[in-house]
Amino acid sequence: MIYVLGSINADLVLYSDRFPESGETLVGNDFLLNQGGKGANQAIAAKKAGGETVFIGRTGDDYFGEFVLRNLTENGVKLHVKKEKGTFTGIAMINVNSKGENKIVIIHGANGFVNGEELSFLKERLTEKDILMLQGEIDAKILKSAAKTAREKNAVVIFDPAPVNGALKGVIPYANFITPNEVEIMSLTDGAGTEKLLEMGAENIIEKRGSKGVNYIGKNERFEMPAFEVNAIDTTGAGDTFNGAFAAALSEGKTIKESVLFASAAAAISVTRKGAAASFPKREEIDEFLRKVTVK
Ligand code: ATP
Ligand code: RIB
């Protein structure tokens, strides 16, 4: 089983040719209301890529909460989600320009209430056969405890330190895989880079490099994998697709390299479509994509 402890947001996505300047009001060209949040996104990406997934988190007691949970359920993700009375569901305000680049502001809302209750749920269930996926959108102390518990049970921990903050450093020694982008690596290591991340206890670093692909650094192996060439229109959630598909592949017993290839294909497909979770590919699409590129 793949357990995902993390955030769930309502994504308010505004598309415009360019980003507005400070103080400018810009007329955009499209709007989408999507389920988002790095935790929920990764749970859906993993499920669509073929994994059995449980999402653990909180929503507010509001319309957005019902909306986002419906999407998870419709995608076959099992839920352990509490409705937090008197607060709102996490929100992401996302602006996407014509190059597919984004700027995002998130408000944690109910995600900030994830606490020991969720940890107890995990503690009772995690076994050595399971994977635990974590990201940086819930409290770092909870993340650290969850990762510690998972390691005690010999479950595999995949940690995405995004959005980055200094408190996330404490999770690094408990993660089997850490999946930062370059900005996150620099922030976590105070500018020192991946070797420092290894010194800080990272076991396997999967550096996500956008259209440049992936740089993998493990104790016994290192490799670079270029990204697939596609026409990117919206990269929101590319990292989440990657992580979800990577977890699904690992849970099937694929090697790290095979899992990175599978995840890169899933992420490449996702950037050709608008939105985060709505853009994640199904297993058949990933297999088909990989069949086509292998044949070439
Ligand atoms: P985000 O937080 O915006 O979801 P991230 O920084 O965690 O993203 P990225 O490096 O942007 O993650 O993307 C993850 C992976 O998705 C990349 O390593 C690559 O394999 C794939 N990818 C991203 N952008 C592109 C692109 N333009 N073309 C092809 N593949 C891409
Ligand atoms: O990684 C993309 C996600 O980050 C969006 O869905 C948004 O909700 C933010 O959490």
Side-chain angles (χ1 to χ4, degrees):
M1 184 64 76
I2 299 169
Y3 290 93
V4 186
L5 173 67
S7 60
I8 183 160
N9 293 335
D11 286 0
L12 308 178
V13 196
L14 299 106
Y15 294 87
S16 52
D17 288 340
R18 59 177 176 82
F19 297 127
E21 301 294 332
S22 177
E24 180 186 14
T25 299
L26 192 65
V27 178
N29 50 50
D30 202 3
F31 169 76
L32 290 175
L33 169 61
N34 289 328
Q35 170 265 303
K38 292 186 191 300
N41 287 348
Q42 294 186 12
I44 290 191
K47 174 66 186 169
K48 284 177 116 175
E52 277 312 305
T53 314
V54 179
F55 171 73
I56 305 153
R58 292 199 190 206
T59 63
D61 192 11
D62 56 8
Y63 166 75
F64 283 145
E66 282 166 30
F67 168 76
V68 292
L69 289 184
R70 205 178 312 132
N71 197 49
L72 282 170
T73 308
E74 281 171 7
N75 278 289
V77 174
K78 297 189 181 81
L79 299 177
H80 178 76
V81 176
K82 268 183 84 175
K83 252 186 213 171
E84 191 65 38
K85 286 216 164 70
T87 191
F88 53 88
T89 298
I91 295 283
M93 185 65 84
I94 303 178
N95 188 189
V96 181
N97 71 10
S98 61
K99 293 186 203 152
E101 298 162 338
N102 61 52
K103 291 193 179 190
I104 306 180
V105 177
I106 61 170
I107 306 287
H108 286 313
N111 296 311
F113 290 81
V114 171
N115 64 25
E117 197 277 331
E118 282 82 359
L119 286 178
S120 305
F121 176 85
L122 268 177
K123 207 169 202 163
E124 281 164 21
R125 284 164 183 81
L126 279 174
T127 72
E128 65 200 4
K129 294 190 185 128
D130 298 322
I131 292 177
L132 175 64
M133 303 185 72
L134 303 170
Q135 317 75 29
E137 287 182 346
I138 60 167
D139 182 65
K141 285 197 285 299
I142 298 291
L143 291 171
K144 186 173 167 182
S145 300
K148 246 174 140 171
T149 300
R151 292 307 290 264
E152 281 159 17
K153 307 254 182 181
N154 290 322
V156 170
V157 178
I158 303 174
F159 175 45
D160 190 7
V164 72
N165 70 74
L168 299 179
K169 289 179 187 175
V171 188
I172 296 171
Y174 301 101
N176 301 78
F177 294 91
I178 178 166
T179 63
N181 62 25
E182 190 183 0
V183 173
E184 289 148 9
I185 290 173
M186 288 306 165
S187 170
L188 290 168
T189 62
D190 302 317
T194 44
E195 299 305 320
K196 175 76 181 168
L197 212 47
L198 292 174
E199 283 170 28
M200 290 163 70
E203 266 178 40
N204 294 282
I205 305 168
I206 300 178
E207 180 187 355
K208 292 183 281 189
R209 303 176 67 225
S211 59
K212 292 196 220 111
V214 165
N215 184 22
Y216 168 75
I217 300 173
K219 291 236 160 70
N220 307 314
E221 192 192 7
R222 293 181 178 214
F223 61 81
E224 285 188 18
M225 193 174 289
F228 290 100
E229 267 184 49
V230 291
N231 181 24
I233 61 160
D234 185 354
T235 60
T236 314
D240 297 333
T241 324
F242 184 95
N243 278 51
F246 179 75
L250 267 193
S251 74
E252 286 173 21
K254 289 192 198 293
T255 65
I256 294 174
K257 205 172 206 168
E258 288 164 348
S259 301
V260 168
L261 179 73
F262 183 79
S264 301
I269 298 169
S270 80
V271 302
T272 64
R273 303 169 181 166
K274 283 185 175 176
S279 72
F280 301 164
K282 291 198 180 116
R283 176 56 177 260
E284 308 80 77
E285 294 176 280
I286 307 170
D287 287 342
E288 176 67 11
F289 182 91
L290 281 169
R291 256 195 305 278
K292 279 190 187 149
V293 289
T294 317
V295 165
K296 268 187 195 164

